[in-house]
Amino acid sequence: MELGLTPYLILAAFLFSCGLLCIVTKRNAIGILMGVELVLNAANVNFVACARYVPGFAMEGQIFALLVIVLAAGEAAIALAIILNFYNNSATVDVDRADELRN
Amino acid sequence: MNLDVILFAVIAGATALSALSVALTRDIVRSAVWLLFTLIGVSTLYFLLGAEFVGATQLIVYVGGTMVLVVFGVMLTAQQQFLKIKTAGPEWLVGGILAIALFAVLVHVSLGFGENHPKPATNTLPSAGPLGTAFLGNYLLPFEIVSVHLLVVLIGAAYLARAKRRSKEEGRS
Amino acid sequence: MALPVKDLFSFLPTPFDMIAGAVVAAGLLVTFVATSALFFIWLERKVSARMQDRLGPTRVGPYGLLQTLADGLKLLTKEDVSPDVADKLLFNMAPYVAFCASFVAFISLPFGNGIVAYPLNVAAFFVLAVLSSEIFGVILAGYSSGSKWSLFGGIREAAQVVSYEVPRSLCVLVPVIVAGTLNLNTIGHQQQGFFWQWNVFHDPFTLVAFVIFFIVATASCKRAPFDLAEAESELVAGFHTEYSGLRWSVFFMAEYASMFAVSGAATLLFLGGWHTGLLPFEPSEKFGWAGHLLNLAVFIFKGFFLVFVMMWMRWSLPRLRIDQVMMTCLKYFLPISCGLLLGVCVWELYVPNLVENSWKIVAGVGTLLASILLVVKLFTGPLTTPNRELPGVWAGRPTAITPP
């Protein structure tokens, strides 16, 4: 039995779905951020698996995975800064209470 | 059966289980810990695929940097001892249906795509040296964009999270 | 030539021979980590005792060598308490997370020419990455204990380690630029020959980088004078306030394992790895097994020596305040290590060979002579001071009890 590309793609699909579930169901802002990290990781698994299995994609796959990792780190830093500001203003991290801009 | 298959099964199972726990756990810190295990599992997968540099980067940036930041955020925003915000039932239903539908579509696509790509002959991917050369050659523009982006993030995060001293001084005077 | 643990089990069918080899390699590493932690705890107590004019453990075994074992037995029989308000799952898991992180670093650390569990191409980077994830156990312990002392300890640790990671990585980059590879085995190979071939004597920048790396590594192992995470005078015992029994000792194992791991990385990157510095050839290629054993002994000796220096620092220097710790890192180490990185690039590009070689010999021989002088001075001085006088550099100064 040989290990092909398909198992990696299915695992990535599963991680992506878990990330989506996390984003949709969590009400804590930091929980939503974690869901986004899961989604980005799922994409990264796809990139690296394709770097390994798709001919001529060895360099691109890894480089895009590295770029995604760096961007995700920056995104987490900014998101946490925003969440902390929100917490300072409204004393909660429940995103359902972030409705000051309505009306 | 060869070793790759066994290792993949073990790692992928653990990763998938922790990813599911991230979504299903209500306690936000436990959720962060499960996310930590997912990230470690993903980096192990990179090592299994032969992408050593990407795997080590995943460890140092995600596990050593981002996750510490996230847990820090959780600690700073927790009001009670262990923070829990409940989600209503209908949200779970909608979210679950959405996730399962997406998973089905993605599996359908990947089954079609994955079969065309058998195992390649070489067992290695280009490591740090070629990657660095590529970043300074063909991929210079994305590299520069990312570095400018990081600078912007640095300034932006410092601006957003700065201590607000002005209001205190006004209050005093 | 690599150590043929992999081929020991070639009589087994395909997946099982590799699994058996992996189990043997992991077992060897666990044994090494555990026994060296036992030894380090004994050494720490002896060193501290000598520096404070005491004897330290003497009763159990020769020179008290078995004291740690006895303590371990005592810890095993202790009740494993966890606080009522703790998050039990995370509380129980935290020590093992910390230990796993520092243990995994040993996987890609070569103990000799090719004596490595898994020869990773990016080993230097991997060791850094894995060691930096050790804090996660500490943060978890601090958070899940449900005690404010633990939480303070955990948060301090997180802030400290995340800041110190940056100069540490920059200092590792300096010898990596000299070597042109991230593979620790290759970096070790390149420093073959006499001791002025070691990376630390390669140019002025690596010399400074070694000193800074060592200080920063001490800080990232949360050792005194940087042990703010467990400052007894302020935080009871910091992040492990609520731990007792076996779990508490696992934290200690993790600490000593990561101390040896950073010392091993420093040895490989700067101090010539497994080379004695006195033989102009690779011993394992000339003498076979005996050479491998020599390499192993030399590497472990160098690592243990650096750990000893860490203990020396711990019992000599007072603890810093948290703002001083952060300031030292962000205001001094970070700019200096950026400068070192630029300097080593310029040195590699523009400095002629003659200057490079003469610097090597001057720096190497100079350091050797300086250290010999230091040792001689230490051992020839009077071992005891006369009554009512101060020792060492304070000799001759008036004290409160000196007769006028």
Side-chain angles (χ1 to χ4, degrees), chain C residues 140-386:
Chain C
L140 277 187
Y143 183 78
S144 64
S145 293
S147 144
K148 55 186 161 194
W149 306 123
S150 307
L151 189 62
F152 278 141
I155 285 191
R156 277 184 176 188
E157 170 76 4
Q160 179 185 332
V161 174
V162 169
S163 322
Y164 271 88
E165 226 170 80
V166 183
R168 189 174 63 167
S169 317
L170 287 173
C171 285
V172 167
L173 274 183
V174 171
V176 164
I177 284 174
V178 171
T181 174
L182 282 166
N183 191 331
L184 283 177
N185 210 14
T186 320
I187 293 179
H189 250 300
Q190 286 171 349
Q191 304 174 54
Q192 180 183 326
F194 293 108
F195 59 88
W196 53 77
Q197 301 289 349
W198 294 356
N199 274 342
V200 66
F201 302 128
H202 183 270
D203 55 61
F205 304 103
T206 47
L207 192 62
V208 182
F210 170 66
V211 176
I212 291 187
F213 176 79
F214 192 69
I215 297 171
V216 169
T218 314
S220 60
C221 287
K222 55 189 183 296
R223 292 283 301 175
F226 302 99
D227 61 343
L228 271 304
E230 41 189 291
E232 304 93 353
S233 48
E234 305 151 33
L235 298 181
V236 189
F239 66 92
H240 58 63
T241 306
E242 306 293 342
Y243 282 86
S244 67
L246 197 61
R247 284 180 216 290
W248 179 81
S249 66
V250 170
F251 269 125
F252 259 72
M253 289 254 282
E255 182 176 334
Y256 284 100
S258 66
M259 270 164 80
F260 186 80
V262 286
S263 301
T267 304
L268 283 161
L269 287 168
F270 293 100
L271 294 183
W274 55 86
H275 295 291
T276 47
L278 305 169
L279 302 170
F281 51 84
E282 168 64 54
S284 67
E285 278 162 15
K286 279 229 162 161
F287 308 130
W289 278 102
H292 273 300
L293 280 180
L294 178 69
N295 286 342
L296 195 66
V298 168
F299 179 79
I300 290 177
F301 171 76
K302 283 180 181 173
F304 276 27
F305 180 74
L306 288 184
V307 172
F308 167 71
V309 175
M310 280 189 189
M311 290 173 182
W312 190 358
M313 276 164 66
R314 169 172 179 175
W315 295 103
S316 305
L317 300 172
R319 179 182 294 131
L320 275 72
R321 268 195 336 254
I322 181 72
D323 61 318
Q324 290 169 332
V325 169
M326 300 305 278
M327 190 191 68
T328 334
C329 174
L330 296 174
K331 280 194 189 160
Y332 296 100
F333 289 152
L334 191 56
I336 292 173
S337 48
C338 287
L340 290 176
L341 196 62
L342 282 179
V344 81
C345 292
V346 172
W347 183 281
E348 282 289 290
L349 284 175
Y350 296 115
V351 170
N353 265 340
L354 182 70
V355 180
E356 206 178 314
N357 289 334
S358 41
W359 167 266
K360 274 182 193 174
I361 293 179
V362 167
V365 176
T367 312
L368 186 71
L369 288 180
S371 40
I372 288 175
L373 194 72
L374 196 72
V375 171
V376 167
K377 213 158 164 41
L378 276 179
F379 280 92
T380 50
L383 288 177
T384 53
T385 25

Side-chain angles (χ1 to χ4, degrees), chain B:
Chain B
M1 290 290 270
N2 57 18
L3 196 60
D4 272 6
V5 180
I6 301 171
L7 281 178
F8 177 81
V10 172
I11 297 166
T15 312
L17 204 68
S18 353
L20 198 62
S21 312
V22 174
L24 297 185
T25 315
R26 245 192 237 151
D27 185 335
I28 194 73
V29 178
R30 283 200 186 178
S31 198
V33 173
W34 290 120
L35 181 61
L36 171 80
F37 288 144
T38 316
L39 297 176
I40 293 176
V42 169
S43 88
T44 327
L45 281 180
Y46 295 161
F47 281 107
L48 192 64
L49 281 164
E52 293 171 350
F53 189 74
V54 185
T57 312
Q58 165 102 359
L59 272 182
I60 201 166
V61 175
Y62 261 122
V63 179
T66 311
M67 282 313 294
V68 173
L69 215 61
V70 167
V71 173
F72 223 84
V74 172
M75 284 181 183
L76 286 176
T77 55
Q79 289 153 314
Q80 319 85 298
Q81 193 84 43
F82 298 109
L83 183 68
K84 281 172 193 151
I85 299 179
K86 287 197 179 99
T87 309
E91 286 177 15
W92 276 112
L93 192 70
V94 175
I97 291 172
L98 209 65
I100 291 170
L102 181 75
F103 183 59
V105 173
L106 284 176
V107 165
H108 180 73
V109 174
S110 31
L111 280 178
F113 181 72
E115 275 171 12
N116 307 328
H117 298 285
K119 194 177 167 67
T122 56
N123 206 15
T124 49
L125 280 174
S127 190
L131 278 176
T133 325
F135 264 128
L136 293 179
N138 275 342
Y139 300 94
L140 188 61
L141 184 64
F143 184 67
E144 288 298 323
I145 292 175
V146 161
S147 37
V148 172
H149 175 268
L150 276 184
L151 184 68
V152 171
V153 163
L154 194 70
I155 297 169
Y159 175 75
L160 281 174
R162 79 197 186 287
K164 295 181 181 56
R165 293 206 183 86
R166 206 190 309 142
S167 57
K168 204 186 261 178
E169 277 165 17
E170 276 168 10
R172 212 179 288 148
S173 63

Side-chain angles (χ1 to χ4, degrees), chain A residues 12-98:
Chain A
F14 186 77
L15 290 185
F16 197 102
S17 312
C18 284
L20 185 76
L21 186 65
C22 197
I23 294 173
V24 173
T25 56
K26 285 261 174 5
R27 281 172 58 198
N28 188 330
I30 298 174
I32 293 175
L33 180 65
M34 290 183 202
V36 175
E37 300 288 338
L38 264 184
V39 167
L40 289 171
N41 262 277
N44 253 357
V45 170
N46 267 1
F47 273 129
V48 179
C50 287
R52 176 84 162 71
Y53 285 98
V54 179
F57 200 61
M59 201 57 101
E60 281 88 344
Q62 291 197 69
I63 280 184
F64 276 93
L66 286 172
L67 292 180
V68 168
I69 289 175
V70 172
L71 290 179
E75 172 247 320
I78 281 289
L80 278 173
I82 293 173
I83 290 170
L84 282 186
N85 257 4
F86 174 57
Y87 180 75
N88 280 341
N89 290 334
S90 55
T92 180
V93 281
D94 185 351
V95 284
D96 286 0
R97 304 255 209 99

